[in-house]
């Protein structure tokens, strides 16, 4: 089985990248993984004219979108590792979702309005790294809002099962090692038998 690990942080020495490495260090043969470092690879998150034309069924997908869709098509598991910016994804990751999870590929709409969820074979693992403490997330309802927006609003919409949805909150940790262990556990669970 194969995992696509998507990382959205500009600093390769960041805790976000350390979490991604902790996940991949637990993936053992015969399983494989690929890292999609969106910023290092220069992914353009801007939803432009070509994306709108695709949405309107007026053109084929742009080449960079097709390349990302092929990466996901090769994967059995999708792992998103990202810092929480303004209680959501960073812009590059949100733009990746906006541009790559297209109508016709990730979902379809039947004439009677029923949504055809096309990514049901994909398991999703979300590891968000937050700078606020758990009390802040709970008091303001941010964690519940993020789960509604991301877990349900994106992944349930396309039929992908969210198997892990973790907020790694550095202010609450005794040490970063505690959270790296959470990442390692996620890596060990990726292809574990149900």
């Amino acid at each position: 089985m194969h995992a696509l690990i998507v990382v959205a942080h500009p600093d390769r020495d960041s805790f976000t990248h350390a979490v991604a490495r902790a996940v991949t260090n637990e993936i053992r043969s015969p399983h494989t993984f690929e890292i999609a470092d969106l910023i290092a690879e220069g992914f353009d998150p801007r939803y432009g004219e070509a994306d709108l034309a695709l949405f309107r069924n007026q053109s084929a997908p742009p080449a960079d979108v097709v390349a990302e869709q092929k990466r996901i098509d090769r994967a059995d598991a999708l792992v998103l590792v990202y810092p929480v910016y303004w209680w959501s994804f960073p812009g590059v990751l949100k733009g990746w979702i906006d541009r790559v999870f297209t109508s016709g590929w990730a979902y379809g709409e039947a004439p009677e309005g029923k949504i055809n969820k096309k990514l049901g074979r994909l398991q999703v693992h979300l590891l968000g790294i937050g700078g606020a403490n758990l009390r802040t997330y709970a008091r303001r309802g941010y964690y519940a809002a993020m789960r509604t927006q991301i877990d349900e609003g994106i992944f349930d919409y396309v039929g992908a099962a969210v198997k892990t949805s973790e907020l790694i909150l550095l202010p609450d940790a005794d040490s970063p090692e505690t959270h790296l262990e959470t990442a390692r556990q996620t890596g060990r669970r990726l292809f574990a038998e149900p």
Side-chain angles (χ1 to χ4, degrees):
M1 298 182 81
H2 184 70
L4 176 62
I5 318 291
V6 180
V7 184
H9 196 288
D11 182 358
R12 295 198 51 103
D13 294 326
S14 67
F15 190 69
T16 300
H17 280 273
V19 167
R21 285 189 296 274
V23 170
T24 62
N25 286 343
E26 297 301 321
I27 299 173
R28 304 282 188 256
S29 181
H31 307 300
T32 58
F33 66 89
E34 175 182 4
I35 298 222
D37 183 341
L38 298 180
I39 294 174
E41 295 173 6
F43 180 79
D44 184 354
R46 295 173 299 172
Y47 190 93
E49 290 179 20
D51 303 293
L52 187 57
L54 171 62
F55 179 74
R56 292 176 173 166
N57 295 315
Q58 297 171 342
S59 74
D64 61 339
V65 168
V66 171
E68 295 303 313
Q69 289 173 342
K70 286 181 179 179
R71 283 174 130 171
I72 296 169
D73 285 341
R74 289 191 299 268
D76 303 290
L78 176 65
V79 182
L80 304 183
V81 185
Y82 56 93
V84 175
Y85 291 168
W86 292 106
W87 318 112
S88 187
F89 291 143
V92 70
L93 183 53
K94 179 61 168 69
W96 185 79
I97 296 285
D98 290 345
R99 295 193 62 221
V100 174
F101 284 56
T102 61
S103 175
W105 178 79
Y107 67 94
E109 190 171 339
E112 69 277 2
K114 184 179 182 213
I115 300 300
N116 180 11
K117 302 176 180 194
K118 296 187 172 199
L119 296 182
R121 61 166 188 76
L122 195 62
Q123 294 184 8
V124 177
H125 301 268
L126 304 167
L127 296 171
I129 292 87
N133 61 33
L134 183 58
R135 203 169 53 241
T136 300
Y137 278 85
R139 181 178 65 239
R140 302 288 188 200
Y142 295 138
Y143 186 50
M146 288 175 61
R147 290 192 77 158
T148 299
Q149 173 196 353
I150 297 169
D151 299 24
E152 295 175 31
I154 297 170
F155 294 106
D156 182 60
Y157 192 81
V158 299
V162 175
K163 298 295 186 179
T164 304
S165 185
E166 291 281 343
L167 266 179
I168 295 174
L169 303 174
L170 293 176
D172 288 337
D174 294 329
S175 74
E177 182 56 35
T178 304
H179 290 313
L180 291 175
E181 180 54 31
T182 298
R184 287 190 285 273
Q185 289 173 7
T186 299
R188 288 191 290 271
R189 284 194 318 262
L190 278 182
F191 302 120
E193 296 298 320

